[in-house]
């Protein structure tokens, strides 16, 4: 009985190895499984990382392109703003010119005025420039005309002589004989004799024109301007209305008007 018991125990000791082998096999399989999972995870992470890097690079490229487009659009917008600003300036200047065209300048030199204490009044029936008027033309009027000439390039300067209603007596007119020679400079204005207020207004206007032309020739100033002499005789009041018949002396009506007028074209 003892011998049998020992035999049984010895046989049981020999059966441990298969169990151990199974255990080790299972453990190896588990290790392989974990290793496989680790490999799969690594591959997945690598793939994800590569995809992420590609996506990030693509996004950065798109952002760069969008930024370039934005900068281009911003530059175009700024250029458009500058163009609009330039156009607005052109429109403003054009509007100023239109406004100026509506109301060209008018300079009135009255007999009743004075310059530096000297009267601007013409002697009765004569067209010789008084010293006060000559000084006013040389020191003030020339500067005014130059300023207006910049604003109204190409305009004609009309010099218009106005008289009061007193009758002109004591001489016969010689304008029909020598007026053209005086205008072109072959004779002096002082040689002209007025037979009417229409003559007198024209002679005085021509005297102012000749003085301005002399300044042009001697100094080169006003060289862009053309002057024309006209007479309104006693026809208009300062208001521009027609005057009533009045033969009384009125210094306020005796004047020289200087107007800037756009050149006319025959149609």
């Amino acid at each position: 009985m003892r011998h049998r018991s020992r035999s049984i125990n010895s046989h049981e000791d020999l059966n441990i190895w298969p169990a151990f082998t199974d255990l080790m096999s299972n453990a190896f399989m588990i290790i392989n499984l974990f290793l496989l999972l680790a490999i799969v995870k690594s591959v997945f992470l690598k793939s994800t990382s590569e995809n992420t890097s590609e996506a990030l690079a693509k996004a950065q490229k798109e952002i760069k392109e969008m930024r370039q487009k934005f900068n281009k659009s911003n530059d175009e917008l700024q250029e458009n703003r500058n163009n609009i600003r330039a156009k607005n300036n052109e429109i403003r200047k054009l509007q100023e010119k239109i406004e100026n065209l509506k109301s060209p300048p008018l300079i009135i030199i009255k007999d009743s005025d004075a310059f530096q204490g000297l009267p601007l009044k013409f002697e009765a029936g004569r067209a010789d420039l008084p010293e006060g008027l000559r000084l006013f033309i040389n020191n003030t009027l020339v500067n005014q005309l130059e300023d207006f000439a910049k604003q109204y390039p190409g305009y004609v300067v009309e010099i218009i002589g106005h008289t009061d209603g007193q009758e002109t007596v004591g001489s016969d007119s010689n304008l029909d004989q020598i007026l053209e020679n005086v205008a072109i400079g072959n004779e002096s204005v002082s040689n002209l004799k007025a037979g009417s207020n229409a003559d007198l207004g024209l002679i005085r206007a021509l005297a102012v024109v000749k003085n301005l032309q002399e300044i042009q020739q001697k100094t080169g100033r006003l060289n862009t301007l053309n002057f024309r002499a006209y007479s309104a005789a006693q026809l208009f009041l300062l208001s521009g209305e027609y005057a009533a018949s009045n033969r009384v002396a009125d210094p306020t009506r005796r004047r020289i008007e200087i107007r800037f007028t756009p050149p006319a074209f025959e149609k």
Side-chain angles (χ1 to χ4, degrees), residues 59-121:
Q60 290 176 338
K61 182 179 179 181
E62 291 177 352
I63 291 173
K64 183 178 180 180
E65 291 175 352
M66 291 177 65
R67 186 172 295 153
Q68 290 175 345
K69 290 180 180 179
F70 174 79
N71 291 335
K72 183 178 180 181
S73 298
N74 193 44
D75 292 341
E76 291 176 353
L77 178 61
Q78 186 62 40
E79 183 179 356
N80 290 335
R81 287 176 178 173
N82 293 335
N83 290 336
I84 292 173
R85 191 178 294 111
K87 291 296 182 183
N88 287 337
N89 289 335
E90 291 178 3
I91 292 172
R92 179 179 56 78
K93 291 180 180 178
L94 182 59
Q95 289 174 337
E96 290 177 355
K97 289 182 178 180
I98 293 173
E99 289 299 322
N100 290 337
L101 288 173
K102 292 179 180 178
S103 55
L106 169 65
I107 301 171
I108 300 178
I109 306 173
K110 301 177 184 177
D111 264 19
S112 56
D113 292 338
F115 181 76
Q116 296 181 353
L118 297 174
L120 307 185
K121 180 180 178 181

Side-chain angles (χ1 to χ4, degrees), residues 202-242:
L202 180 58
I203 296 171
R204 289 176 174 176
L206 187 58
V208 175
V209 168
K210 300 307 293 183
N211 185 249
L212 291 170
Q213 289 175 339
E214 183 180 352
I215 293 172
Q216 284 179 321
Q217 294 171 0
K218 290 183 177 180
T219 68
R221 301 177 69 180
L222 309 177
N223 55 7
T224 62
L225 295 178
N226 292 317
F227 302 101
R228 293 179 181 174
Y230 296 100
S231 174
Q234 72 271 34
L235 197 56
F236 296 102
L237 300 174
L238 273 170
S239 63
E241 298 176 348
Y242 284 110

Side-chain angles (χ1 to χ4, degrees), residues 35-49:
L35 181 60
L36 179 61
L37 291 174
I39 293 172
V40 171
K41 182 177 181 181
S42 175
V43 172
F44 175 77
L45 291 176
K46 182 179 180 181
S47 176
T48 303
S49 177

Side-chain angles (χ1 to χ4, degrees), residues 1 26 69 77 85 108 114 152 172 182 192 209-210 258:
M1 293 299 289
N26 291 334
K69 290 180 180 179
L77 178 61
R85 191 178 294 111
I108 300 178
Y152 301 90
D172 295 326
V182 173
L192 290 171
V209 168
K210 300 307 293 183
I258 302 174

